[in-house]
């Protein structure tokens, strides 16, 4: 299915969007094998060529694709995306609107408590912004402790999306606003992309990017890049973006079905 559509069309929004249901409909839902998906994105600068809404837009489109691949009785429900994340590493750049870590933690906990009161047993925090990852990992456990929900976290950036589409070196260093993200936005909403301004900037990572990941020193975007991106946005194409959406949608759909059927009680070998 093409994501070039009126926003919020498709099965995800027409059939599986939880807030479209009335109070009675939510109350009557069979909840034992249900999964509620909370997309957590960001509104932050992505260089001179991409919209600040990039991360949230990509999350919406990937989930739209994924829900088209779910069976009618999947029991997976979608919540509205949280369009702001912890984007403090981009705070000095115009276009960035960020929550503090404390604010985002409280928002996530309140959502978890609300779902628990309504009787839902499982929650997925579906993340499309790298700066949210550590906080969401911690909050998955905190929501589990506070609310009793089984909580999953999935990062779109952690999928093996792009194999055979994006060059290996670009997949390694194109952390923000490079070929992958630019191609995705071209495949979703090409009129929002200014390809004539698309930069190519690769930071001088000491020892390569793996050194950055493993040693995990703190950085803000201005430490890495003058343009606000890392990677080569100039080689992005709409065709690549459409392939990426297809790849990502299939991977996510398979994961959603596994999560909806998962029983935390099955892990312990004995009572």
């Amino acid at each position: 299915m093409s994501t070039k559509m009126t926003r919020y069309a498709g099965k995800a929004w027409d059939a599986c969007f939880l807030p479209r249901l009335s109070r009675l409909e939510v109350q009557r839902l069979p909840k034992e094998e249900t999964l509620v998906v909370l997309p957590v994105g960001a509104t932050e600068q992505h260089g001179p060529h991409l919209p600040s809404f990039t991360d949230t837009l990509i999350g919406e489109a990937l989930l739209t694709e994924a829900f088209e691949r779910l069976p009618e009785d999947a029991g997976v429900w979608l919540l509205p995306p949280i369009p702001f994340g912890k984007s403090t590493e981009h705070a000095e750049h115009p276009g960035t609107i960020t929550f503090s870590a404390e604010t985002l933690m409280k928002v996530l906990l309140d959502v978890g408590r609300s779902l628990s009161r309504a009787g839902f047993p499982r929650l997925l925090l579906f993340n499309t912004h790298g700066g949210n990852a550590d906080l969401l990992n911690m909050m998955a456990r905190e929501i589990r402790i506070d609310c009793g929900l089984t909580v999953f976290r999935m990062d779109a950036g952690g999928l093996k999306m792009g194999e055979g589409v994006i060059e290996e070196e670009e997949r390694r260093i194109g952390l923000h606003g490079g070929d992958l993200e630019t191609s995705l936005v071209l495949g979703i909403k090409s009129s929002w992309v200014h390809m004539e301004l698309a930069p190519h900037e690769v930071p001088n990572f000491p020892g390569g990017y793996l050194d950055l990941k493993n040693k995990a020193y703190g950085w803000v975007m201005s430490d890495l890049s003058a343009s606000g991106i890392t990677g080569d946005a100039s080689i992005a194409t709409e065709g690549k973006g459409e392939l990426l959406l297809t790849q990502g949608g299939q991977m996510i759909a398979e994961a959603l079905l596994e999560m909806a059927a998962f029983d935390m009680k099955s892990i312990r070998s004995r009572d």
Side-chain angles (χ1 to χ4, degrees):
M1 171 185 179
S2 173
T3 53
K4 288 184 175 299
M5 60 177 79
T6 302
R7 192 175 177 204
Y8 302 146
K11 186 191 296 185
W13 312 98
D14 292 332
C16 302
F17 189 49
L18 189 62
R20 77 166 184 82
L21 301 181
S22 71
R23 178 182 70 85
L24 287 178
E25 287 173 315
V26 174
Q27 186 176 11
R28 292 169 180 168
L29 280 178
K31 299 184 179 69
E32 185 174 343
E33 290 192 3
T34 57
L35 171 72
V36 178
V37 180
L38 176 63
V40 187
T43 299
E44 61 181 36
Q45 73 83 29
H46 275 72
H49 64 303
L50 286 179
S52 300
F53 202 58
T54 286
D55 289 338
T56 306
L57 182 70
I58 288 173
E60 291 175 350
L62 286 170
L63 288 168
T64 298
E65 290 285 340
F67 272 77
E68 291 298 322
R69 292 161 172 78
L70 297 178
E72 298 299 324
D73 60 349
V76 182
W77 293 91
L78 182 62
L79 289 177
I82 297 177
F84 308 117
K86 194 191 81 64
S87 298
T88 47
E89 70 273 26
H90 297 279
E92 64 190 277
H93 296 272
T96 300
I97 300 173
T98 182
F99 282 156
S100 66
E102 294 79 9
T103 297
L104 183 55
M105 288 163 62
K106 289 177 180 177
V107 168
L108 294 169
L109 190 56
D110 281 348
V111 172
R113 287 170 175 168
S114 298
L115 292 172
S116 179
R117 283 193 297 269
F120 290 98
R122 298 174 191 82
L123 170 64
L124 167 62
L125 305 175
F126 181 78
N127 179 42
T128 47
H129 165 49
N132 291 335
D134 290 339
L135 185 148
L136 294 184
N137 193 47
M138 178 187 73
M139 288 308 299
R141 181 169 289 159
E142 293 302 310
I143 295 169
R144 170 68 178 161
I145 293 167
D146 186 277
C147 310
L149 296 174
T150 297
V151 187
F152 306 92
R153 196 200 93 212
M154 178 182 240
D155 291 324
L159 300 171
K160 292 185 178 180
M161 197 168 52
E163 287 188 347
V165 181
I166 305 295
E167 292 294 330
E168 185 60 35
E169 179 69 5
E170 178 66 16
R171 290 177 63 218
R172 189 172 68 84
I173 55 88
L175 307 178
H176 188 76
D179 186 10
L180 188 143
E181 285 192 319
T182 303
S183 291
L184 277 167
V185 179
L186 283 170
I188 300 163
K189 193 77 173 173
S190 59
S191 62
W192 287 11
V193 183
H194 304 283
M195 281 303 293
E196 72 280 6
L197 301 177
H200 178 193
E201 183 172 1
V202 179
N204 297 313
F205 292 130
Y209 175 51
L210 290 179
D211 182 78
L212 173 67
K213 285 183 70 175
N214 293 336
K215 291 185 173 58
Y217 46 82
W219 53 267
V220 297
M221 199 63 201
S222 59
D223 293 326
L224 306 185
S225 168
S227 65
I229 81 152
T230 63
D232 189 357
S234 69
I235 59 175
T237 68
E238 188 174 329
K240 288 182 192 176
E242 291 172 350
L243 288 172
L244 289 166
L245 287 168
T246 299
Q247 277 188 357
Q250 184 60 43
M251 292 175 185
I252 294 164
E254 292 170 2
L256 294 178
L257 291 174
E258 291 178 7
M259 293 175 195
F262 179 76
D263 181 3
M264 184 70 81
K265 293 178 183 177
S266 68
I267 295 178
R268 279 177 44 165
S269 59
R270 54 178 151 172
D271 294 328

